[in-house]
Amino acid sequence: MDGTDIDREENELRAAELAQALAGADLPGRIAAIAARIPGRIVFTTSFGIEDQAITHAIVASGAPVAIVTLDTGRLFPETYEVWAETEALYARRIRAVYPAHDDLEALIIDQGINGFRMSPETRKACCEIRKVRPLKRALDGARGWVTGLRAGQSPGRAETPFVEVQDLAGRAGLKINPLADWSRARVETYIAEHGVPCNVLHDRGFPSIGCAPCTRAIRPGEDERAGRWWWEKDGRQECGLHVRAPARIGNKADHSAIGRAS
């Protein structure tokens, strides 16, 4: 067994222990538990959607040493930049932005044109790779833990979202933690209202999930929360490549049993 395998085994054990701790805690308590159990740098990536705003509030409320980072693709809604500014002002905390590498972006636009992502799933994924996936790798450089706002109820493709999973983070084994995995949207909305957390006004206009402006529309009655993302693709599995599920591991199975389902 080499060092990589030993490190992964340690992370699997830590994942199972952390999942149990998260199951019985409120959101600030979950953030505190994450900080207490993961040695080293922890990064939370926010897109300023309602779930991420709840987590940002909990990070500040808990005082946990979690870095808050956003991936600015250059194609965000104006309303997203507004809530970004409101959030920094309220919490007196600067949120680090990570941008696409300029040479990668320039090459992409030369190849595709400005809206070439609409030509095919492959060109769209290439755009996401440049604007999101590669910047994420830079954001997670040196991190041992990655906190996200994923919920099981966001879409059928995310229905098995665990609290914790072992995942490679910028080339090394670490933990991806989804502290809202068992929360419903209604529960997130209640938390936001109770704590006076800034919220993107697009949520009130039928946008439960908000990404890049040209790739996001309001959803229709009966559609799942992420139906407005890359809606012209018809396979129902639209993701940008940031959240690719790792193969099932021991820690993941324990996580699923610990999640439960909250109303």
Side-chain angles (χ1 to χ4, degrees), residues 9-198:
E9 283 197 357
E10 290 177 349
N11 275 297
E12 287 171 351
L13 292 172
R14 187 174 289 118
E17 176 187 336
L18 180 54
Q20 294 293 333
L22 298 185
D26 62 10
L27 186 53
R30 289 178 175 185
I31 299 300
I34 292 166
R37 287 170 172 79
I38 297 180
R41 183 169 180 256
I42 304 170
V43 175
F44 166 53
T45 51
T46 177
S47 64
F48 302 101
I50 192 169
E51 292 89 357
D52 293 341
Q53 289 297 94
I55 293 173
T56 292
H57 175 84
I59 289 172
V60 175
S62 68
V66 176
I68 304 176
V69 177
T70 192
L71 308 178
D72 187 349
T73 65
R75 301 299 299 268
L76 304 180
F77 285 94
E79 292 86 350
T80 300
Y81 292 107
E82 289 297 323
V83 77
W84 179 351
E86 291 175 31
T87 303
E88 288 192 335
L90 177 64
Y91 298 118
R93 179 166 179 166
R94 191 69 69 208
I95 295 171
R96 177 192 169 201
V98 181
Y99 295 90
H102 69 84
D103 51 347
D104 289 344
L105 191 55
E106 289 172 4
L108 177 76
I109 302 306
I110 289 172
D111 180 52
Q112 292 189 357
I114 190 61
N115 285 337
F117 51 82
R118 293 187 187 275
M119 292 189 295
S120 69
E122 290 71 31
T123 57
R124 193 273 294 172
K125 291 174 183 176
C127 185
C128 290
E129 171 74 20
I130 297 302
R131 295 182 186 273
K132 292 185 175 183
V133 176
R134 293 184 189 178
L136 176 69
K137 291 178 181 177
R138 295 185 359 243
L140 295 180
D141 186 34
R144 297 297 300 273
W146 174 28
V147 179
T148 86
L150 296 187
R151 291 188 297 105
Q154 288 172 327
S155 69
R158 294 183 176 183
E160 298 302 317
T161 297
F163 275 140
V164 190
E165 54 193 307
V166 179
Q167 184 166 315
D168 287 341
L169 305 181
R172 65 182 298 177
L175 297 182
K176 179 180 178 181
I177 311 100
N178 311 303
L180 297 179
D182 63 335
W183 279 33
S184 66
R185 185 172 184 88
R187 189 171 179 182
V188 178
E189 290 172 347
T190 297
Y191 184 89
I192 289 287
E194 288 178 347
H195 296 283
V197 180

